Amino acid sequence: MVTMKVAFIGLGLIGGSIAKTIRKKYPDSEIVALNRSEAPLEEARKDGTINAGTHEVDHNFEGCDYIFLCTPVETNKFFLPRLKPYLQSGCVLTDAGSVKGVIHKAVSELLPEAHFIGGHPMAGSEKSGYANANDHLIENAYYILTPGENSTIDELNRYEKFVSSLGAIPLIMSPDRHDYITAAVSHVPHLVAYSLVDLVKLKDTPAEYMKLIAAGGFKDITRIAGSDPTMWEQICLENPENIVELLKDYEEILSGMRKMVEEADGKGLHKIFEEMRDYRASFSVSSAGPIKKIYDIYCDIIDEAGAIATIATILSTSGISIKNIGIVHNRTFEEGALHIEFSDEASKTRAVEVLERHNYSIFLK
Ligand code: NAD
């Protein structure tokens, strides 16, 4: 018996990965996909991900519970009017785009009757295409949902549960908030990374010593400057107001730092560095508001080589999987503490039992 029907427009990295995850979690579902090129459709039919493939919006789109738009935003817009005859009652239309305001605006103008809930899986890779899609890309990833004007609370609840059932972590917010938040934590940092690389390119010595030395830490902090230029051009053009506003804020912060360096204000610099180090150390800790509960513990350890590996081994041999693990340094812990996150309460409870049995001191916040 078919448990649900889902359609995809665009069966690349993101569409393909969501489709594969649905096939894994809902083996009896009916999945159809539209793609421009034939190769992904053929591959997905062969590996059992989709039941049917098509190159245009046709009868395959009848009776869907969800329709996912997973092509670039401009292409998603093109398909909106074509979907009109296929929006049966209860069908949620969604997308996977990295900027939400533009698609919400397009839906209001081109397909206002759609029950649209925007979606943004905070997962990805530098690679694209169905060939790189997998059934665990969105696992444990935050998946932002932005309800549209016409979507109901019931539909939102249903979609939220659906996303959870796929192993991702749903977060609900308005499209505006999404675009502001992602501008701060993703879009502006990409521009900063590109600009840092530019600085070195411009200022390097003829012997290219900067480039030589940049192989280490500099390469780490500019890793995201290796991202797809076309995708980042599109994102900057789709979210300009937020990016410009936050870039201005950032320029002020940078000017403040430059001033402190010029004035040899060591105390001022030290204060900022200390505050930012501590704030950063708090990033993976559960926050209030819309952030889903995190199941975490702190384990007191001596900060030495092998400490993390020992604990990871103890947990994995007890069948407990770790979602996230890392050392935190702050004044609460004398030496260092290992912050460990789990996917559910049961894993956390078992981990506490197992680690205490091995004489580790556990702190719960
Ligand atoms: P992709 O290039 O891997 O896949 C896009 C798919 O759409 C391809 O299969 C392509 O053949 C198909 N397509 C393109 N134009 C088409 C057209 N005119 N008609 C029919 N099919 C067409 O891209 P992706 O990484 O899967 O990105 C898809 C969406 O997901 C984008 O909106 C992107 O912003 C969003 N997204 C991407 C990432 C990421 O890291 N890649 C992360 C989150 C969200």
Side-chain angles (χ1 to χ4, degrees), residues 275-336:
E275 278 174 17
M276 294 314 117
R277 181 199 59 192
D278 291 350
Y279 180 61
R280 186 179 180 280
S282 72
F283 274 9
S284 63
V285 176
S286 103
S287 321
I291 311 285
K292 195 185 144 132
K293 187 167 167 37
I294 286 173
Y295 304 96
D296 61 346
I297 62 171
Y298 290 85
C299 176
D300 217 358
I301 52 157
I302 309 285
D303 188 3
E304 63 185 16
I308 299 186
T310 309
I311 288 179
T313 309
I314 291 171
L315 292 175
S316 75
T317 49
S318 305
I320 303 164
S321 46
I322 296 168
K323 191 173 146 197
N324 225 325
I325 189 164
I327 300 261
V328 286
H329 291 281
N330 63 38
R331 288 189 216 96
T332 319
F333 305 104
E334 276 181 13
E335 276 284 347

Side-chain angles (χ1 to χ4, degrees), residues 9-17 34-38 40 54-55 69-76 78-79 95-100 119-130 132 137 228 231-232 234-235 238:
I9 293 189
L11 201 63
L13 176 74
I14 299 293
S17 294
L34 176 157
N35 204 73
R36 184 175 45 191
S37 49
E38 177 59 23
T54 175
H55 297 290
L69 300 164
C70 296
T71 64
V73 176
E74 283 307 310
T75 313
N76 288 342
F78 165 84
F79 282 107
D95 77 324
S98 310
V99 179
K100 303 271 48 110
H120 179 196
M122 310 287 284
S125 110
E126 300 80 52
K127 296 176 183 152
S128 60
Y130 185 79
N132 293 298
L137 189 82
D228 176 21
M231 183 169 141
W232 282 96
Q234 280 167 7
I235 288 174
E238 285 160 10

